[in-house]
Amino acid sequence: QSVLTQPPSVSGAPGQRVTISCTGSSSNIGAGYDVHWYQQLPGTAPKVLIYVNNNRPSGVPDRFSGSKSGTSASLAITGLQAEDEANYYCQSYDNSLSGFWVFGGGTKLTVL
Amino acid sequence: EVQLVESGGGLVQPGGSLRLSCAASGFTFSNYWMHWVRQVPGKGLVWVSRIHSDGSTTRYADSVKGRFTISRDNAKNTVFLQMNSLRAEDAAVYYCVREPMIGYYFDYWGQGALVTVSS
């Protein structure tokens, strides 16, 4: 059971827009901690896709965007492409107990 | 270019020990907090442990506390994860990751080291 909740899967046709939600609680996202997103292509290590809610590292296309509100966050992907098919994970920090870094369970994006 | 290269993975019996290493290059290693994150193949990411840039403080997930020890050698640009009393549920790919100076996230990941726990 992951601390952050994501849908197990989403899908969309090439060119479409999809969103992936990430729901937390008052001890992580709701406490004001930033949300970050990672993309994991098959057989590879994760890479950061969005950091600090809505910032893209250099090299990440502007088709990817992030937002955060209250105890939730979202990743939006526009102009869906075949190479976007991957697993996506949200991540934040949780201040319960002694504090720790938390992930969502991951969302498998299928490009139809 | 930032590089993180893990080594030391392999097959170990339940109750056994293993030490993972992560060699860092391409950045001033002693300035950064370092972490270990693990992933059971086909499953999600789970944070394991973190060490302060100077090695002064460490944190662990409850699932590994008392069994795993994170350490670092800033002279050799290397971070370690000593894993003792290994259980079947510790089997996973272990990633060495860097936390940037600001942000509570992970900006660079190693390729991962596979740990298999089986008799």
Side-chain angles (χ1 to χ4, degrees), chain A residues 7-90:
Chain A
S9 63
V10 298
S11 62
Q16 283 189 333
R17 178 182 187 269
V18 297
T19 61
I20 299 172
S21 61
C22 174
T23 302
S25 67
S26 59
S27 61
N28 42 68
I29 300 175
Y33 293 103
D34 297 317
V35 178
H36 322 285
W37 293 90
Y38 303 87
Q39 178 191 59
Q40 186 175 31
L41 297 169
T44 69
K47 75 164 194 178
V48 60
L49 193 66
I50 297 289
Y51 65 96
V52 187
N53 305 317
N54 56 12
N55 295 275
R56 282 175 288 107
S58 60
V60 173
D62 59 7
R63 302 186 295 104
F64 295 89
S65 63
S67 64
K68 174 193 160 188
S69 178
T71 58
S72 297
S74 288
L75 172 70
I77 309 172
T78 59
L80 208 55
Q81 298 181 4
E83 57 261 37
D84 298 334
E85 188 159 294
N87 286 304
Y88 293 84
Y89 296 90
C90 62

Side-chain angles (χ1 to χ4, degrees), chain B residues 4-96:
Chain B
L4 300 170
V5 179
E6 300 95 338
S7 60
L11 173 64
V12 61
Q13 291 186 339
S17 298
L18 209 57
R19 189 197 199 201
L20 302 181
S21 300
C22 170
S25 61
F27 64 101
T28 305
F29 180 71
S30 58
N31 286 349
Y32 290 84
W33 292 11
M34 297 296 295
H35 298 247
W36 290 93
V37 172
R38 69 185 182 186
Q39 182 177 37
V40 174
K43 302 296 183 183
L45 301 167
V46 177
W47 173 79
V48 173
S49 183
R50 177 230 89 191
I51 188 166
H52 192 277
S53 56
D54 64 7
S56 58
T57 62
T58 57
R59 294 251 190 100
Y60 300 92
D62 286 346
S63 59
V64 307
K65 201 174 294 183
R67 301 186 298 120
F68 289 15
T69 303
I70 189 172
S71 61
R72 65 192 296 160
D73 184 339
N74 284 348
K76 295 184 177 179
N77 292 347
T78 303
V79 61
F80 306 96
L81 186 67
Q82 176 67 44
M83 303 183 292
N84 298 332
S85 303
L86 281 161
R87 306 167 180 166
E89 55 265 35
D90 295 318
V93 174
Y94 284 74
Y95 293 103
C96 169

